Amino acid sequence: MMIPEPPRYYDSNWELLSQGAEARVWLVPNFITRATTNNNNNTGTNPSKSLSFTSDAICKERFVKSYRHPALNDKLTRARTKAEAKSLSKCRRGGVSVPVILGIDIPPASTSSAISISASSTSTCGNGSNGSGGSGSTVPDNDNVNNDNNNSSACLFLEKIEGCTLRSFFAIKPKKASRSTEGENGGNVGQVEEEAQAQGEEPATKRAKLENANTDEANTKNNNNNTPHTRLDAYAKKVAHTTGIVIGKMHNINIIHGDLTTSNILLRNPNDVPPPLSSSVSSSSSSSSTDTKLSWEPDIVMIDFGLSSTSVNTSSKNKNSSSSSHEERAVDLYVLERAFITTHVGGEVLVDEMLRGYKSSCKCSDSVFQRLSQVRLRGRKRECFG
């Protein structure tokens, strides 16, 4: 598999955080450097002192897809990068917390223009106004096109959000099994084997049954210890409720996220709350911390608008366009609902809190919930019949 080349301004200090089928995410250290001057004229000594501040950034790079036609790849890369930047800007104007856009680099359209000319022409062109320079106006060959297209990745530089994803906030890491427990399990199996070897008169089938029984019991204990649990205390419910409010604000400005999961939602201030005490939080402990959690307001940040779109305005006179926008909003909620249920075991309570917060902020929540019930039915049919 051919690894795509990094951006043309790539530095060895960059750190690759993740890579998917569509884009790569880089950590860019010291992206912004701010210098300030502190004037101290009272003492007369050291009249000025410069202070410098640096901040990191996140670079989302849409790299070149070698399996696409170069003209199609350039067109999709430019369109999706522009759409994501517009969605982020619109969310900030609408009061939705998203990363700040620090910079954007989109390859020029001259590459795609030259490729489209080469696809439609079979001979030498008369006027090469769309060329990259030079006196020749011949159609570029495939080698030149591929070389020019290596650096046509689009980059979106965003603010680095300090915090964690909702997926990691809701997840309670299982405790590792102690060595004593493992030693006891291993000792039991070893004792069975030694006794079986000492008693030569026992048949081999009986020894096999004893070994399989002990192995199954040990595997069951390990699986129970490694099962992930979900945080369901008052803080988790507060986060889920606030998440629903933020999604409602996003839908009010006609932005459809397209990929709502707990991995695409960040929490800026997770360190302001205590960690969960245990995997199973009792109702008494949850109610006792209700007064405390009211003083803490979670700061929810929406990220990854690569699949976002703008829905049809609900105030349109066309009923079909209004229903389609409600459908898109309902699908957004259904995707997040399935993410809660499949990723976080027992997260139905968090889903209810999220929908309650959505209802309090979204202006058309009643119509969206009606559509959501229909989307759920379609999803269940797909699960039953494939």
Side-chain angles (χ1 to χ4, degrees):
M1 181 179 180
M2 186 177 180
I3 301 177
E5 295 183 359
R8 60 179 181 272
Y9 30 77
Y10 168 78
D11 189 3
S12 59
N13 295 326
W14 288 25
E15 179 183 355
L16 182 62
L17 300 180
S18 62
Q19 177 174 346
E22 177 67 19
R24 289 184 295 197
V25 178
W26 301 85
L27 174 62
V28 184
N30 302 331
F31 182 77
I32 297 179
T33 302
R34 293 170 291 178
T36 59
T37 302
N38 185 14
N39 295 325
N40 295 323
N41 295 326
N42 295 330
T43 60
T45 61
N46 194 10
S48 64
K49 184 179 180 180
S50 61
L51 301 175
S52 61
F53 302 93
T54 59
S55 59
D56 301 339
I58 296 296
C59 175
K60 182 175 182 180
E61 176 207 3
R62 283 185 169 84
F63 50 85
V64 177
K65 313 300 187 300
S66 59
Y67 55 85
R68 288 180 186 160
H69 190 278
L72 177 62
N73 178 79
D74 185 72
K75 182 178 180 180
L76 292 177
T77 300
R78 291 170 53 84
R80 292 176 179 177
T81 304
K82 288 182 179 179
E84 184 172 3
K86 289 180 180 179
S87 297
L88 290 171
S89 300
K90 191 173 182 179
C91 283
R92 290 193 63 84
R93 292 194 300 267
V96 180
S97 181
V98 295
V100 178
I101 300 177
L102 303 178
I104 183 170
D105 179 34
I106 300 179
S110 59
T111 305
S112 61
S113 300
I115 296 172
S116 62
I117 293 175
S118 64
S120 60
S121 302
T122 57
S123 61
T124 302
C125 299
N127 295 323
S129 58
N130 292 328
S132 59
S135 58
S137 58
T138 57
V139 178
D141 55 5
N142 294 330
D143 294 336
N144 293 332
V145 169
N146 293 332
N147 292 333
D148 292 337
N149 203 34
N150 286 336
N151 293 327
S152 62
S153 60
C155 294
L156 192 63
F157 294 91
L158 304 171
E159 170 194 7
K160 183 180 183 296
I161 304 297
E162 299 292 344
C164 68
T165 62
L166 293 192
R167 180 172 183 173
S168 61
F169 180 80
F170 289 138
I172 299 178
K173 296 181 180 180
K175 296 181 179 180
K176 296 182 179 180
S178 60
R179 295 183 178 179
S180 60
T181 305
E182 295 177 354
E184 291 175 1
N185 293 333
N188 292 334
V189 176
Q191 290 178 1
V192 172
E193 292 179 353
E194 292 177 358
E195 292 176 359
Q197 292 177 358
Q199 298 176 1
E201 67 276 9
E202 290 184 358
T205 55
K206 186 176 181 180
R207 291 200 301 263
K209 289 181 180 180
L210 290 175
E211 293 176 358
N212 292 333
N214 291 327
T215 303
D216 293 339
E217 183 179 359
N219 292 333
T220 302
K221 292 181 179 180
N222 292 331
N223 291 332
N224 292 332
N225 292 331
N226 294 329
T227 302
H229 302 282
T230 304
R231 181 172 186 167
L232 300 176
D233 58 357
Y235 297 102
K237 293 179 181 178
K238 180 71 174 180
V239 171
H241 185 269
T242 308
T243 301
I245 295 176
V246 174
I247 296 174
K249 292 180 179 179
M250 182 182 66
H251 285 175
N252 287 337
I253 58 177
N254 299 324
I255 294 294
I256 304 300
H257 189 277
D259 190 17
L260 274 181
T261 62
T262 52
S263 298
N264 290 334
I265 304 175
L266 299 182
L267 178 63
R268 282 185 187 265
N269 52 349
N271 297 326
D272 296 344
V273 298
L277 299 177
S278 61
S279 60
S280 58
V281 180
S282 60
S283 59
S284 60
S285 62
S286 177
S287 60
S288 62
S289 61
T290 303
D291 297 336
T292 306
K293 65 99 179 179
L294 289 178
S295 61
W296 174 71
E297 292 295 332
D299 190 356
I300 301 297
V301 182
M302 310 295 293
I303 62 171
D304 196 1
F305 285 79
L307 299 178
S308 63
S309 61
T310 303
S311 65
V312 181
N313 192 357
T314 56
S315 62
S316 176
K317 297 181 180 180
N318 189 355
K319 295 183 179 180
N320 294 329
S321 63
S322 177
S323 61
S324 64
S325 64
H326 295 330
E327 176 83 11
E328 294 169 350
R329 292 176 172 86
V331 172
D332 239 7
L333 293 179
Y334 180 74
V335 171
L336 182 58
E337 183 182 83
R338 295 303 303 172
F340 266 106
I341 296 175
T342 57
T343 307
H344 308 285
V345 180
E348 290 80 4
V349 179
L350 301 179
V351 174
D352 295 338
E353 288 293 329
M354 183 268 296
L355 295 178
R356 191 167 65 88
Y358 181 84
K359 185 176 181 180
S360 64
S361 63
C362 185
K363 299 178 182 178
C364 54
S365 59
D366 294 336
S367 301
V368 174
F369 285 158
Q370 292 179 0
R371 283 284 177 175
L372 179 59
S373 61
Q374 300 176 7
V375 174
R376 286 171 179 167
L377 292 176
R378 294 201 300 266
R380 291 173 184 174
K381 290 181 180 178
R382 180 175 296 179
E383 292 176 0
C384 294
F385 303 103

